[in-house]
Amino acid sequence: MDIQDVVSDSELIQKYNNGDGRAFGKLIDRYNQPLMSYLQRMVSDRIAAHDLFQDTFFKVIRALPRYHERGKFSSWLFGIAHHVAIDFLRKQKRARQHLKSDCETNDMELADYEDHTSMRPDEHYDQQELKTLLKQAVETLPVEQKEVLLLRQYSGMTFKEISEQINCPLNTVLGRMRYALLNLRKSLSGDIGEFDHVL
Amino acid sequence: MFCKKYENNAVLYLYDELDPKAAKEFKAHVHHCPKCRRALNEMQHTVQLVSTLPKERADRSAIRHIMHHVEKPFSITNKMAKWRTWFSGSRLPWALAAAAASVILVLSLWNPFSVPDPNQAYDLLAWNSGIDVELDHIELEITEMYPDYDYSTEETQHIETRIDLIESSMKSLSQDIETMSF
């Protein structure tokens, strides 16, 4: 049995606070994949995602005194990652829509996507091509919709927890998620029928 | 598109976050509403697609960089743990050696006005040399006991600097004794 499955996040944090640096290493290993996946999909840049991955954990180390185990560690971790990613995107000005500092409900709309597929309808796509198109479709989502979709996909947070972490009403979060799924479908609409056999 | 009343419930339902009573009502509605049934199927299909997004991992170099900044035996926040661990593990011999050398230095300076007896000076010189050798032995033992220990941390270097200062003071004292006596 893997020790990481036995020791809880709280126990690892306690071990770290008592002087066991390796416990923090176990935390990093545990959240390596979901956190890196979230950051890379958010910023669409692997090198930048690596920097943000490190920045997130540096902030975790500095903020551990204020953590006090309020809520799940994973929610807290992804809350920090969310702010790190959003700050990066604001600086990089990569968002398609203007990033709003408060949660306005009129930021949800169906984007007008061009049909990106250049494949004939009768061609079959393999799983790798599907993943590539899906990645591109996610990357072109409006930032507010993308962040909710990716937080739900990778962090394990419920929609209620996401709404608390990003400081948005639950209905706004659910609306963004709904529009994210609709926009993805619209973006892949020329291809979706071709992918039925790979699911 | 869903009926307005059920749009957000559809998302919660697909991610299994809808409470049982609302889920039952939603399922009953979908059963009778072709528009919502179609929209739910499409949304479910898209959710399945999203679950196939590729998974990424940070490189080992990034993790090593983070671990380099992790304070190993210390926690900034836990001052008690900091003091407790400062005297545990490999720091104890260093601390004891530094404390012993400090006591010896103070005792050797206890009566600065007395003229050192040459024989006593020789004894002091030998004694200081012995302590110096002893510190070297302790340093070697610690290095052998903890070969993987990171001696480049700020704390370890600080302790080593202090021990170096004590050794330097002892050497200086030895020279003074030698000068006064001979």
Side-chain angles (χ1 to χ4, degrees):
Chain A
M1 183 185 294
D2 187 0
I3 189 68
Q4 292 187 351
D5 296 329
V6 175
V7 183
S8 69
D9 291 346
S10 300
E11 286 171 310
L12 287 174
I13 290 168
Q14 198 163 12
K15 280 177 189 281
Y16 168 69
N17 284 334
N18 287 336
D20 184 358
R22 292 169 301 175
F24 198 86
K26 289 191 171 78
L27 270 178
I28 298 174
D29 281 344
R30 182 172 291 177
Y31 288 101
N32 184 344
Q33 184 180 285
L35 185 65
M36 188 64 187
S37 302
Y38 167 73
L39 289 169
Q40 193 163 331
R41 295 283 83 79
M42 273 295 284
V43 304
S44 310
D45 181 332
R46 185 165 172 85
I47 295 172
H50 264 97
D51 291 341
L52 299 181
F53 181 89
Q54 292 173 65
D55 286 347
T56 300
F57 276 107
F58 291 150
K59 287 182 188 301
V60 165
I61 290 168
R62 288 196 292 273
L64 266 176
R66 298 189 295 280
Y67 172 50
H68 298 306
E69 296 192 41
R70 285 176 296 185
K72 294 189 300 187
F73 172 76
S74 59
S75 302
W76 184 66
L77 172 69
F78 274 88
I80 292 174
H82 158 76
H83 287 111
V84 165
I86 292 296
D87 283 347
F88 174 83
L89 290 174
R90 280 185 175 140
K91 286 175 189 169
Q92 292 291 318
K93 292 180 184 175
R94 283 192 182 188
R96 282 183 173 237
Q97 290 181 349
H98 177 63
L99 282 174
K100 299 176 181 62
S101 57
D102 54 337
C103 288
E104 297 180 17
T105 55
N106 61 349
D107 60 353
M108 291 174 288
E109 50 192 46
L110 283 175
D112 291 324
Y113 287 98
E114 294 177 9
D115 185 357
H116 293 290
T117 179
S118 58
M119 303 267 189
R120 294 195 306 272
D122 58 346
E123 280 193 49
H124 290 284
Y125 298 96
D126 60 20
Q127 219 162 32
Q128 196 54 46
E129 287 161 335
L130 167 62
K131 284 182 180 174
T132 302
L133 284 166
L134 181 61
K135 268 168 51 178
Q136 287 169 357
V138 168
E139 285 169 9
T140 53
L141 284 174
V143 173
E144 293 84 1
Q145 295 173 23
K146 185 163 61 172
E147 69 178 357
V148 172
L149 178 86
L150 294 177
L151 279 173
R152 187 60 187 83
Q153 173 64 17
Y154 292 115
S155 73
M157 284 195 271
T158 63
F159 287 109
K160 188 168 186 303
E161 287 166 341
I162 291 172
S163 77
E164 287 163 4
Q165 282 296 339
I166 67 174
N167 200 28
C168 266
L170 177 60
N171 280 340
T172 303
V173 168
L174 292 172
R176 287 178 178 179
M177 183 68 181
R178 188 162 43 82
Y179 276 93
L181 293 171
L182 283 169
N183 279 329
L184 278 180
R185 184 166 183 87
K186 196 175 178 194
S187 180
L188 295 169
S189 62
D191 311 309
I192 282 229
E194 299 299 320
F195 296 124
D196 282 345
H197 68 284
V198 296
L199 284 176
Chain B
M1 300 287 273
F2 291 95
C3 296
K4 192 103 177 115
K5 181 182 174 186
Y6 295 103
E7 338 179 275
N8 286 344
N9 279 4
V11 176
L12 290 168
Y13 176 78
L14 280 175
Y15 282 91
D16 206 22
E17 292 182 30
L18 200 56
D19 66 81
K21 186 181 170 191
K24 192 176 172 185
E25 185 191 331
F26 178 74
K27 278 163 69 174
H29 170 78
V30 167
H31 183 69
H32 292 106
C33 178
K35 186 175 84 161
C36 283
R37 192 160 57 245
R38 183 162 182 260
L40 185 67
N41 285 338
E42 287 175 354
M43 187 177 277
Q44 188 167 33
H45 198 176
T46 311
V47 168
Q48 282 180 324
L49 271 176
V50 170
S51 70
T52 67
L53 274 171
K55 296 173 174 54
E56 313 290 344
R57 288 188 72 88
D59 296 339
R60 296 303 299 173
S61 59
I63 296 170
R64 274 199 300 273
H65 190 218
I66 296 167
M67 290 307 294
H68 182 69
H69 285 79
V70 167
E71 287 194 333
K72 293 194 175 83
F74 284 75
S75 161
I76 315 171
T77 62
N78 190 336
K79 288 189 170 50
M80 287 304 293
K82 185 176 181 178
W83 286 110
R84 186 168 60 244
T85 56
W86 201 89
F87 286 102
S88 67
S90 64
R91 282 185 169 71
L92 181 58
W94 289 108
L96 286 176
S102 300
V103 168
I104 291 162
L105 187 63
V106 168
L107 288 176
S108 67
L109 295 173
W110 183 256
N111 192 355
F113 297 107
S114 67
V115 176
D117 174 47
N119 288 328
Q120 197 178 41
Y122 271 120
D123 288 342
L124 277 173
L125 279 172
W127 196 15
N128 286 343
S129 300
I131 295 294
D132 198 23
V133 168
E134 198 57 37
L135 281 174
D136 285 337
H137 281 153
I138 291 172
E139 189 176 358
L140 184 61
E141 279 174 24
I142 290 170
T143 310
E144 286 171 351
M145 280 167 63
Y146 301 96
D148 295 323
Y149 191 76
D150 184 0
Y151 290 89
S152 65
T153 64
E154 198 176 341
E155 290 87 357
T156 313
Q157 285 177 351
H158 179 61
I159 293 169
E160 286 189 6
T161 302
R162 286 165 62 186
I163 290 186
D164 284 342
L165 279 174
I166 291 168
E167 285 181 333
S168 171
S169 298
M170 283 166 30
K171 282 194 175 87
S172 174
L173 176 64
S174 298
Q175 284 165 1
D176 288 342
I177 293 171
E178 204 172 339
T179 305
M180 283 193 299
S181 301
F182 306 108

